[in-house]
Amino acid sequence: MTTPSRLIAVALALLGAGCSTASSAHPRRLVPAASPPKDDGRSAQGGPGGTSHAAALEQLKVAAIAPKPDKQHAVLVPLPDAEHWTRVRFLTLKSLVGFRYGKEHHAIFAGFVTHVDDNTAQGACNKSFEQWAAPWIDAFEVELKHDPPVAFTWSAPQPPAPPGGERPPKKIAIVDVDPVSAKTATVFARESYEAAWAAYPAWGDKACLVVGVAIPVRDDGARAREVRDRFLREVFPKIAVTGHEEPKERY
């Protein structure tokens, strides 16, 4: 399945000292929460916003959270209204996992793997992603406004004990999350998003898991930010990897 490349560039190409951008200042509409219609999984180009987008964002703000696995069951992502997220592939990028919320792309979640010399070194995973994302920032002319970062402790599964030995001590990492307001400014797309990304020392001592979420603003900046902030509090800290071996496939 596919989703627009510009959404993915914003969902995960989030770094650097970008310029400030303004969120939409339209009056808040009273809209009841509602899940998007059933997604047929086919390629789509997003939606125009309006009541359907506002209702979907309200649902993401209040719906119960449940874990949703990637195709290899290597990562469990706790998503609000999990049954209405559809697993997708991206047109131009190989990913470990990708989900969209509704065919109108009310939100996008994606996960990638990067590699470093030592993923236990503080900031190593973040730096590897920033280097990977830099060309996407340039290609889509992404402008960024960084909000205060968030940090939490996180642990990967422990490897088994060697024969006749003791199990290694549990490793606890400090994961930093970068929440941003982002705007693409190419002649092909001028769109604003509330987004965030985080990098985890997930497998062995060299592989990092990088995840990101992007919520299109579509004249509803306050709701989009509230959804993003829920991911900061309730999703990112609870990302789980299910084993100590890096998954092999990319899609």
Side-chain angles (χ1 to χ4, degrees):
M1 307 305 166
T2 58
T3 57
S5 296
R6 63 179 182 272
L7 285 172
I8 306 316
V10 175
L12 288 178
L14 305 176
L15 73 147
C19 304
S20 294
T21 60
S23 295
S24 300
H26 292 252
R28 167 92 60 136
R29 304 181 301 280
L30 294 177
V31 177
S35 301
K38 183 175 176 58
D39 190 341
D40 62 11
R42 296 180 181 178
S43 179
Q45 293 298 316
T51 300
S52 63
H53 186 55
L57 297 186
E58 287 291 335
Q59 183 71 357
L60 289 175
K61 286 167 50 181
V62 302
I65 290 177
K68 196 171 181 73
D70 69 298
K71 192 173 182 180
Q72 299 173 80
H73 288 259
V75 178
L76 293 175
V77 182
L79 292 172
D81 198 17
E83 65 180 296
H84 288 97
W85 291 78
T86 299
R87 190 182 293 121
V88 294
R89 293 186 299 172
F90 305 131
L91 282 172
T92 54
L93 300 175
K94 290 290 187 180
S95 66
L96 176 65
V97 61
F99 297 109
R100 73 184 181 198
Y101 187 62
K103 193 168 182 179
E104 293 186 350
H105 300 92
H106 302 293
I108 292 288
F109 186 95
F112 291 79
V113 178
T114 64
H115 295 93
V116 296
D117 291 335
D118 179 7
N119 66 11
T120 65
Q122 188 62 34
C125 288
N126 297 64
K127 185 177 180 179
S128 70
F129 174 67
E130 290 170 354
Q131 292 172 340
W132 173 87
W136 295 95
I137 290 287
D138 293 339
F140 287 89
E141 299 179 29
V142 181
E143 298 178 355
L144 302 173
K145 176 184 176 182
H146 292 262
D147 289 331
V150 176
F152 53 83
T153 58
W154 184 86
S155 295
Q158 294 174 270
E166 296 184 358
R167 195 172 194 181
K170 186 176 184 179
K171 295 180 180 180
I172 299 177
I174 303 297
V175 174
D176 297 311
V177 183
D178 187 13
V180 301
S181 300
K183 181 171 68 175
T184 56
T186 69
V187 295
F188 302 105
R190 293 182 178 274
E191 302 180 53
S192 297
Y193 305 83
E194 295 295 332
W197 69 274
Y200 306 72
W203 299 284
D205 58 5
K206 298 185 183 301
C208 305
L209 169 67
V210 179
V211 302
V213 66
I215 301 95
V217 170
R218 298 175 187 165
D219 296 332
D220 220 329
R223 282 192 178 93
R225 178 178 290 261
E226 289 164 356
V227 173
R228 183 202 69 182
D229 290 349
R230 188 183 189 194
F231 272 73
L232 300 184
R233 298 189 308 269
E234 302 180 47
V235 174
F236 283 24
K238 298 178 181 178
I239 296 285
V241 297
T242 60
H244 61 277
E245 296 290 340
E246 178 186 344
K248 303 299 184 184
E249 300 298 325
R250 306 291 184 265
Y251 306 97

